[in-house]
Amino acid sequence: MPVKVGDKAPAFSLIDTTKRIRTSSEFLGKKTVLAFYPAAFTGICAKEMCTFRDSLAELNTMNANVVAISVDPPFSNRAFAEQNKLNFPVLSDFTRYVSAQYTGLIADLGGIPGYTAAKRSVFVLDNDGVVKYAWISESAAAEPNYEEVKSVLASF
């Protein structure tokens, strides 16, 4: 069952683009935007992550972090982060365990049998890791409402 508003966000331990283990607990103490994206090097995922990149200074004024998560391996995520000059952690959920907990999964993404990815989703967590906003798309082609995310962050 996906995470919903009011839930304590499930703890995670995932590998970043440098193969360093990052835990959800290190993001406590600030608001956190968790952005799950289906696949690196796709147009919509790049547009979404670049929108968060371009908004990061504004989000930082709201005491907020951005953390991106995909099922892609850390090597692909690193190339994707470098190509798009992403200035926030990009984590690899290659086991799909965290994505299944938070978002649920998309089977056969892009019509590719056996390719399972996270649903495009955005969660806003408060300083204590409680979910204040949850958006989970059934369509990999949908983008989140960025202004809505900012509005939620500004509200607490």
Side-chain angles (χ1 to χ4, degrees):
M1 171 108 60
V3 172
K4 58 189 180 309
V5 172
D7 289 350
K8 177 76 171 172
F12 61 77
S13 181
L14 296 171
I15 296 174
D16 70 11
T17 58
T18 66
K19 298 187 282 180
R20 188 175 130 217
I21 294 174
R22 306 291 296 266
T23 63
S24 53
S25 63
E26 74 184 81
F27 303 109
L28 295 175
K30 286 182 86 170
K31 302 170 192 177
T32 301
V33 176
L34 289 182
F36 287 81
Y37 64 95
F41 300 105
T42 59
I44 295 170
C45 293
K47 184 178 178 195
E48 178 187 13
M49 292 302 112
C50 290
T51 300
F52 281 121
R53 176 202 64 207
D54 295 345
S55 300
L56 195 59
E58 181 182 359
L59 299 177
N60 284 338
T61 66
M62 295 181 221
N63 196 34
N65 296 306
V66 173
V67 178
I69 300 173
S70 84
V71 301
D72 294 309
F75 318 105
S76 298
N77 282 339
R78 182 177 186 158
F80 179 67
E82 288 173 353
Q83 178 179 316
N84 292 292
K85 297 177 176 41
L86 301 182
N87 50 357
F88 48 81
V90 179
L91 308 181
S92 177
D93 180 26
F94 57 86
T95 67
R96 294 162 175 76
Y97 179 76
V98 174
S99 296
Q101 284 185 297
Y102 273 84
T103 73
L105 300 169
I106 301 170
D108 303 333
L109 179 67
I112 302 169
Y115 184 51
T116 302
K119 291 180 180 178
R120 186 177 316 282
S121 308
V122 174
F123 300 90
V124 174
L125 313 180
D126 70 10
N127 299 0
D128 299 317
V130 175
V131 178
K132 296 293 187 183
Y133 173 83
W135 175 80
I136 302 171
S137 179
E138 293 301 319
S139 169
E143 284 185 75
N145 182 328
Y146 305 106
E147 292 308 313
E148 191 173 79
V149 172
K150 290 177 191 176
S151 177
V152 170
L153 286 166
S155 73
F156 67 96

